[in-house]
Amino acid sequence: MHKVNANSRQEYIAAAKKSGQDLQDLDALIRECAPVLKPWFYNVGPDEPGMTFKMLGYGTFSYKPKKNSNDAIDWPVIGVAIQKNYVSIYFSVTKASQPIINFYKADLQCTRSGNNNFSFTAFGQLNKDALRKLLVETAAIFVADPSNPVCFKESQTARLFA
């Protein structure tokens, strides 16, 4: 993860030198397409449970990682992180038992994609229609089944610590 010196959503967006306008545009699109996913700032330090980094979050749920099942971790339904040369968007919901991104990555025109995430170097490169559909469907899945991302996250942490 790229380190960003910020303690709020506004500071995080302002800290994005190359991708500041891209983050503002993406933030506006997420808020428009998924208004039920409340914006927040993920900021976990080294002494707290969870991954130690910062990102923009939209919607929240709690899960218990397999490594230490005593600590519940709050995690975004959609997370946006600044990297050194690109911006990454993380999704925590599944569709038909697969990461939701699998149904959209061919159409997004992103720089790269991974396990329920994708990255872009410029917001203008993305297929906005595909991104809108992905955001709307992600919010709808979460509203219909708030436990959907819990199952995804717990399966991911189980795989990491197996």
Side-chain angles (χ1 to χ4, degrees):
M1 274 294 160
H2 178 67
K3 291 199 178 227
V4 178
N5 185 17
N7 293 305
S8 70
R9 291 178 50 78
Q10 295 77 15
E11 288 179 16
Y12 192 82
I13 292 171
K17 294 173 181 66
K18 286 183 5 182
S19 55
Q21 186 61 51
D22 288 341
L23 274 182
Q24 289 176 23
D25 294 344
L26 177 60
D27 179 66
L29 186 64
I30 294 172
R31 288 172 183 243
E32 172 193 324
C33 294
V36 298
L37 301 179
K38 182 182 174 192
W40 62 291
F41 186 59
Y42 181 88
N43 183 7
V44 172
D47 297 328
E48 301 171 79
M51 294 179 67
T52 303
F53 71 98
K54 302 172 185 191
M55 72 177 157
L56 301 176
Y58 302 86
T60 186
F61 67 97
S62 296
Y63 74 99
K64 290 187 175 186
K66 300 297 180 201
K67 183 177 178 185
N68 184 352
S69 61
N70 296 326
D71 295 321
I73 295 172
D74 290 332
W75 193 255
V77 176
I78 298 173
V80 176
I82 303 168
Q83 309 295 343
K84 184 176 180 181
N85 297 312
Y86 51 88
V87 174
S88 294
I89 307 175
Y90 301 89
F91 294 83
S92 295
V93 298
T94 59
K95 176 180 174 178
S97 301
Q98 296 181 48
I100 193 166
I101 192 71
N102 290 353
F103 298 90
Y104 291 91
K105 62 183 160 187
D107 297 325
L108 285 169
Q109 300 173 348
C110 54
T111 302
R112 59 194 229 182
S113 62
N115 187 25
N116 233 10
N117 66 74
F118 71 90
S119 302
F120 63 89
T121 54
F123 187 68
Q125 84 184 66
L126 296 174
N127 176 335
K128 304 305 180 301
D129 289 336
L131 181 54
R132 279 185 184 90
K133 289 176 186 174
L134 171 58
L135 295 169
V136 167
E137 185 169 19
T138 297
I141 289 170
F142 180 69
V143 167
D145 181 10
S147 68
N148 179 294
V150 175
C151 298
F152 173 73
K153 265 322 255 189
E154 287 179 350
S155 71
Q156 294 301 300
T157 58
R159 187 173 52 91
L160 288 173
F161 297 113

